[in-house]
Amino acid sequence: MLRPSTRRYSVSRPLYSEDTFEDEHAKVYRKRKRLLDHFIQYFTCTSERAKNAAVSLLPIIGWMKIYSVKDWLLNDIVSGVSTGLVAVLQGLAYSLLASISPWYGLYAAFFPVIIYFFLGTSRHISVGAFPVLSLMVGAVVTRLVPDEGLPANITAFEGLTKDEQRILVSASLTFLVGLFQLGMGLLQVGFIVMYLSDTLISGFTTAAAVHILVSQLKFVLGLTVPGFSGPLSIIYTLESVFTQITSTNYHDLVTSIVVMVMVLAVKEINDRFKSKLPVPIPIEVIMTVIACGVSYAFNFSENHGVDVVGKIPNTFESPIAPSLQVFQMTAVEAFPIAIVGFAVAFAVAKVYSVKHDYLIDGNQELIAFGASNIFGGAFKSLAASTALSRSAVQESTGGKTQIAGLLSALIVLVVILGIGFLLEPLPKSVLGAVVIVNLKGMLMQVVTVPYLWKKDRPDCIVWVGTCLAAIFLGLDLGLAVGLGLELLTVVFRAQFPRCCVLANISGTDIYRDRKDYVNIYEPEGVKIFRIPSPIFFANIDFFKDKLKEAVGFNPLRILRKRNKAVKKIKKMMKKGELTLTSNGLQATCSMPIEESEDESNMEDLDKPTDYSDLPMQVNWSAELPANIRVPPVNIHSLILDFSVVSFLDISALKGLKAALKEFIRVSVDVYIVGCDPYIIEKLRNCTFFDDEIKTSIFFLTIHDAMLFIHESHPPKTVSERVSGSSRSQHINSSSISNGLKIQAMEDMKTEVETDTKPETRF
């Protein structure tokens, strides 16, 4: 905190416009690289670049150099075993979301992990099945191979059972997702995830959690519900569930409730006492073992009609080639799956990288997940990303590197090849219960809605719109709607910024919105206008409208009125209806002269006022003869604060130039302050400056411009204001009594050109 003696500062420096500043301070002109220069640099190979590229492509090289066997290995072993047990259970559970056999979820916890071990940059995320991706894959699977009716007309389906057809669709889709991710990584477009805001992802994952919850009801209740896809699929699923609600299998329901209560209770204990527990209690694994034992002992499958996991092959299935026809039919769904999978994984990886102080590379993550999904798809794996709960287990149990992930894959391998048969009596209702419990975090995101509504309503609209669209239209269309809403909020915020008029905080060089402060001074005859956004084609008209609203008049309308008035005065003088006397111009008749229709071209009225052939200069602030009325202009200077204007496009440049000329032509001096030098350079390159608009209108700060204005238009003293007011009253009463609309020229300082005629202001 500053001491009282240091809370004031005094700076003495010259008054700077942009021109004078550049004259006194030499500017460094940097040579800009051409596109060809960037191209040559990108493809130039040196030994250093080759080394960096190898380390970048294989991040394992970087962290293996610093791996401490003594300090890290034990932690990685404990973490790998714990994560592997959770991965087995979640792999079985999430495969149900994809409408395929449970053991294929185990493949997602093995094959992608092996590839990510070598190519991934995150040391803490657990790669494998993710419920949202599994659900999106399941929507595609049920669309091409529905529970009821004929499958899609795909040549590769011939001779395959329904389960085999679904596996082909799932594997081909996973392969295509990997191709999209790998392609984006090689093209270095990892920045695309920046367009998915936290608000959008939160709303989307909440909607996905609702879909997952509804999809698991059939397992929890022991019902046979066909799979639905497309818009309103959740409504059709709920309709089918409630239609069959009386057929609920009570053994499934009771088992699910017991598992959910126990898992939720122990997870709460883990959260509350995580600082005291060496490792979290693996309650999901414990309940799974208990459920398997009870199901086997009481023969739930045959005696009570409970649907169980069934036979798990004790070997890997042979790899398959993806179907090109499936590629064609699923490309539209594959791209959002690729984006969502990467976005979620990258967001989780970023959290842990910040926590443990290391860097991750978005483009390399795309390459890693792309290669992982291509490899996994060839071996019939589900699309891989990361599950938040599984990654939390890997990090919280002490995992230091992806060696923990590799060990978790070995645990999965042991289950697949050795002890998978022990999971055969596991009721699917237990898996459904585990899935539902793990949705708690995503479902609880709904509590952010009231906060968003109070703090940022556009973000709240994005959240609610994305969530509702994803729930009712499906996850793929919901994501598209969310992106559309997000882009609209950006557009509206840029197109309709909060423009304001600034005023001076008394006794300082600080200028703030005049509506926000009490002790504030608005300079007489000066308007300071700020637009807090870039100016481009979409908001240039809004900018001009707000500017006219701020100054209180339309300069173009006034310019046209003045040009009409000058033309009429010239015409009346030519006809002898106005004569020049010692007291000024005097009308030869007291009858008001009706204004005739102006037949001149409107373009002529938009040009600067032509005072030639007039024996005096017009004082537009006074009353005019012959009932000629021109709206007054109550300012002499206008300051535009461009300190937050980051760019101008060509359309905005043209609109700005036209607006400035309108003000200049009605004798309002315009100044632009705080403008980025690169914008000024662009204005020069685009021939923005001419005889009317000069570079001298640019100043460094608002205060520089105000000091310059005070030199040109000194503020009136109190006595001058009082005398000016009484003189104005005398002139007005005299004009009314004599029927004159002309006043004699006042003694004022005015800059005139050498050829200016003697003035009589009226």
Side-chain angles (χ1 to χ4, degrees):
M1 184 176 178
L2 293 175
R3 299 190 305 273
S5 59
T6 63
R7 289 181 181 174
R8 299 180 65 85
Y9 72 91
S10 176
V11 177
S12 177
R13 66 167 177 83
L15 186 156
Y16 280 127
S17 67
E18 289 286 350
D19 289 344
T20 56
F21 185 81
E22 288 190 6
D23 291 340
E24 292 188 18
H25 299 81
K27 188 175 181 181
V28 177
Y29 288 94
R30 292 172 290 178
K31 181 181 178 181
R32 293 186 178 182
K33 290 184 178 181
R34 301 169 299 169
L35 181 62
L36 180 61
D37 296 329
H38 287 285
F39 186 82
I40 293 173
Q41 182 182 2
Y42 186 79
F43 287 100
T44 300
C45 183
T46 63
S47 58
E48 186 67 23
R49 289 197 66 186
K51 179 182 176 181
N52 293 337
V55 174
S56 175
L57 188 61
L58 293 172
I60 185 176
I61 299 174
W63 59 261
M64 282 297 284
K65 290 180 179 179
I66 61 173
Y67 192 83
S68 174
V69 176
K70 181 180 178 180
D71 297 331
W72 292 359
L73 183 59
L74 181 60
N75 289 331
D76 280 340
I77 292 174
V78 174
S79 176
V81 173
S82 303
T83 307
L85 295 174
V86 176
V88 168
L89 185 58
Q90 290 188 351
L92 294 171
Y94 296 157
S95 62
L96 301 180
L97 298 173
S99 301
I100 59 177
S101 301
W103 63 84
Y104 291 106
L106 297 178
Y107 294 172
F110 178 75
F111 292 108
V113 176
I114 302 300
I115 301 300
Y116 190 85
F117 174 77
F118 294 99
L119 301 180
T121 59
S122 175
R123 304 175 192 172
H124 292 88
I125 65 172
S126 175
V127 177
F130 178 53
V132 176
L133 289 196
S134 299
L135 186 68
M136 297 176 78
V137 170
V140 178
V141 169
T142 54
R143 178 173 66 84
L144 297 184
V145 189
D147 291 326
E148 299 175 355
L150 296 176
N153 185 18
I154 296 176
T155 305
F157 282 177
E158 294 181 3
L160 300 180
T161 64
K162 178 175 289 188
D163 287 340
E164 291 171 339
Q165 292 172 350
R166 290 189 167 186
I167 293 303
L168 178 61
V169 173
S170 173
S172 300
L173 180 60
T174 299
F175 196 97
L176 183 57
V177 167
L179 288 177
F180 277 129
Q181 291 176 331
L182 181 61
M184 289 188 292
L186 293 176
L187 293 174
Q188 303 287 291
V189 292
F191 64 87
I192 195 171
V193 72
M194 303 302 176
Y195 293 99
L196 301 178
S197 67
D198 293 341
T199 304
L200 184 146
I201 292 176
S202 176
F204 179 78
T205 52
T206 302
V210 174
H211 276 281
I212 295 169
L213 175 62
V214 172
S215 70
Q216 295 306 294
L217 290 179
K218 63 180 180 181
F219 298 112
V220 171
L221 300 176
L223 303 176
T224 303
V225 178
F228 298 96
S229 61
L232 302 181
S233 59
I234 191 171
I235 303 297
Y236 300 139
T237 302
L238 287 173
E239 180 186 13
S240 181
V241 168
F242 286 110
T243 301
Q244 306 176 54
I245 196 71
T246 55
S247 303
T248 299
N249 187 316
Y250 295 105
H251 296 85
D252 277 321
L253 179 60
V254 172
T255 302
S256 301
I257 292 175
V258 171
V259 170
M260 284 190 285
V261 171
M262 291 299 298
V263 172
L264 281 173
V266 176
K267 277 182 174 288
E268 188 66 25
I269 293 174
N270 286 338
D271 289 339
R272 291 195 177 188
F273 300 100
K274 59 183 177 182
S275 60
K276 298 180 180 180
L277 294 172
V279 294
I281 301 172
I283 184 60
E284 295 161 320
V285 177
I286 294 172
M287 294 305 299
T288 300
V289 173
I290 295 173
C292 283
V294 173
S295 176
Y296 178 77
F298 293 96
N299 199 2
F300 275 7
S301 177
E302 296 183 5
N303 295 339
H304 304 291
V306 173
D307 192 12
V308 297
V309 170
K311 184 172 179 58
I312 297 179
N314 60 353
T315 182
F316 288 112
E317 297 187 8
S318 58
I320 61 172
S323 170
L324 295 180
Q325 285 182 286
V326 174
F327 282 2
Q328 294 174 355
M329 294 183 177
T330 61
V332 175
E333 292 95 340
F335 187 73
I337 292 175
I339 295 297
V340 171
F342 168 65
V344 172
F346 186 74
V348 176
K350 189 163 58 174
V351 170
Y352 290 128
S353 69
V354 172
K355 182 177 180 180
H356 295 278
D357 193 24
Y358 62 90
L359 299 176
I360 58 173
D361 183 351
N363 293 314
Q364 181 61 28
E365 286 294 292
L366 272 172
I367 292 174
F369 277 105
S372 298
N373 280 319
I374 290 173
F375 185 65
F379 285 90
K380 304 179 182 179
S381 165
L382 272 173
S385 179
T386 183
L388 281 67
S389 58
R390 195 169 61 246
S391 296
V393 170
Q394 180 165 319
E395 190 269 341
S396 63
T397 52
K400 300 296 183 182
T401 64
Q402 279 301 326
I403 287 179
L406 184 63
L407 292 174
S408 73
L410 293 178
I411 297 296
V412 175
L413 179 65
V414 170
V415 172
I416 294 174
L417 300 181
I419 61 175
F421 66 93
L422 296 177
L423 297 173
E424 291 178 1
L426 178 63
K428 289 184 178 179
S429 56
V430 174
L431 297 177
V434 170
V435 171
I436 291 174
V437 168
N438 282 299
L439 296 177
K440 177 186 174 183
M442 288 192 286
L443 291 172
M444 289 302 294
Q445 293 177 127
V446 74
V447 300
T448 62
V449 173
Y451 173 82
L452 290 174
W453 181 254
K454 293 178 181 178
K455 303 299 182 182
D456 195 331
R457 292 191 177 180
D459 267 358
C460 184
I461 292 172
V462 171
W463 196 102
V464 174
T466 303
C467 185
L468 293 179
I471 289 174
F472 293 107
L473 300 180
L475 296 180
D476 49 353
L477 292 177
L479 181 62
V481 170
L483 281 171
L485 287 173
E486 192 171 53
L487 291 176
L488 280 177
T489 59
V490 173
V491 169
F492 277 111
R493 284 173 172 173
Q495 188 171 352
F496 305 107
R498 183 183 175 272
C499 301
C500 60
V501 175
L502 304 182
N504 179 246
I505 302 294
S506 298
T508 71
D509 62 348
I510 300 171
Y511 296 81
R512 291 292 184 267
D513 189 344
R514 63 181 179 182
K515 298 179 181 178
D516 294 340
Y517 295 88
V518 177
N519 186 25
I520 200 164
Y521 160 70
E522 189 168 3
E524 183 181 358
V526 181
K527 287 290 181 183
I528 309 171
F529 183 77
R530 169 180 288 171
I531 177 169
S533 80
I535 306 177
F536 57 106
F537 67 94
N539 69 357
I540 182 62
D541 290 333
F542 177 82
F543 164 74
K544 293 163 69 175
D545 291 341
K546 284 294 181 180
L547 181 58
K548 294 171 186 175
E549 181 182 323
V551 298
F553 60 87
N554 184 337
L556 183 59
R557 178 172 175 266
I558 291 177
L559 177 62
R560 290 174 176 173
K561 288 279 188 180
R562 287 186 177 183
N563 283 332
K564 286 183 180 180
V566 168
K567 287 186 177 183
K568 186 170 183 179
I569 291 172
K570 289 180 179 179
K571 187 176 181 180
M572 293 174 66
M573 291 182 66
K574 187 176 181 180
K575 293 181 177 180
E577 296 170 351
L578 282 177
T579 57
L580 182 64
T581 66
S582 59
N583 294 326
L585 284 175
Q586 183 173 3
T588 57
C589 61
S590 59
M591 294 291 292
I593 302 175
E594 295 184 3
E595 185 176 355
S596 61
E597 292 291 332
D598 191 271
E599 298 177 355
S600 62
N601 193 336
M602 289 296 292
E603 293 183 359
D604 294 336
L605 298 179
D606 296 344
K607 295 179 180 179
T609 305
D610 181 13
Y611 293 104
S612 61
D613 301 331
L614 278 181
M616 74 288 295
Q617 184 176 341
V618 180
N619 179 12
W620 296 108
S621 61
E623 295 188 39
L624 303 177
N627 285 341
I628 298 175
R629 300 186 182 277
V630 176
V633 175
N634 53 6
I635 63 172
H636 53 71
S637 301
L638 172 65
I639 300 176
L640 301 179
D641 183 4
F642 272 32
S643 57
V644 290
V645 176
S646 57
F647 72 87
L648 287 167
D649 66 4
I650 296 298
S651 299
L653 187 146
K654 293 179 180 178
L656 177 65
K657 186 173 184 178
L660 297 189
K661 286 191 173 184
E662 290 172 7
F663 281 101
I664 292 171
R665 289 170 181 177
V666 294
S667 303
V668 175
D669 298 329
V670 181
Y671 305 94
I672 298 177
V673 302
C675 190
D676 190 290
Y678 292 100
I679 294 181
I680 299 177
E681 183 180 350
K682 181 177 181 178
L683 296 179
R684 287 195 180 102
N685 295 335
C686 295
T687 63
F688 182 80
F689 303 106
D690 54 23
D691 294 338
E692 292 182 274
I693 303 176
K694 304 180 185 300
T695 57
S696 58
I697 68 173
F698 287 88
F699 284 81
L700 293 187
T701 67
I702 298 176
H703 208 58
D704 284 312
M706 282 302 307
L707 294 176
F708 180 81
I709 291 170
H710 284 167
E711 290 179 1
S712 306
H713 304 273
K716 293 181 180 179
T717 62
V718 176
S719 60
E720 287 175 337
R721 292 175 185 172
V722 172
S723 62
S725 175
S726 61
R727 183 166 59 252
S728 175
Q729 292 176 2
H730 171 73
I731 291 172
N732 288 339
S733 59
S734 174
S735 297
I736 294 172
S737 62
N738 297 323
L740 297 176
K741 305 301 181 183
I742 310 298
Q743 71 176 65
M745 179 184 70
E746 297 182 37
D747 185 16
M748 300 177 64
K749 292 183 179 180
T750 306
E751 290 184 7
V752 295
E753 299 181 1
T754 56
D755 58 346
T756 302
K757 301 175 182 178
E759 293 183 342
T760 301
R761 297 195 173 183
F762 57 89

